[in-house]
Amino acid sequence: MSDPVNLNKFRKAKAKVEKEQTAKENRAKFGRTKAEKQRDKARKDKLSRLAEGHRLKDAPEQEG
């Protein structure tokens, strides 16, 4: 006869593998690396500074 198999361990191992697979899929679908987040923040800051630099300091007064 063969050795008895602990079904509880088998079920837990299977659930762990499925959970890891789901996590991997979610990382690929939703995750961004730290470098990507920093790059996007730097771009946003640069565009903000550029727009702020082109803003008029005082609005011209209208005569009339």
Side-chain angles (χ1 to χ4, degrees):
M1 287 183 41
S2 63
D3 293 327
V5 177
N6 188 340
L7 294 178
N8 196 25
K9 282 187 179 182
F10 179 76
R11 263 183 258 140
K12 285 184 179 183
K14 183 180 176 186
K16 184 177 180 180
V17 169
E18 289 174 358
K19 188 175 179 181
E20 288 173 357
Q21 180 64 29
T22 304
K24 182 179 178 183
E25 291 170 1
N26 285 339
R27 282 193 299 271
K29 190 186 291 186
F30 300 109
R32 295 191 308 159
T33 64
K34 186 175 182 179
E36 290 172 333
K37 291 177 188 176
Q38 289 175 340
R39 182 193 65 219
D40 291 345
K41 184 180 183 309
R43 284 182 181 168
K44 181 182 166 195
D45 291 344
K46 183 177 180 180
L47 288 174
S48 177
R49 285 193 310 271
L50 183 66
E52 200 58 39
H54 286 87
R55 191 178 302 268
L56 295 175
K57 300 298 178 194
D58 294 324
E61 295 182 25
Q62 295 180 5
E63 293 182 27

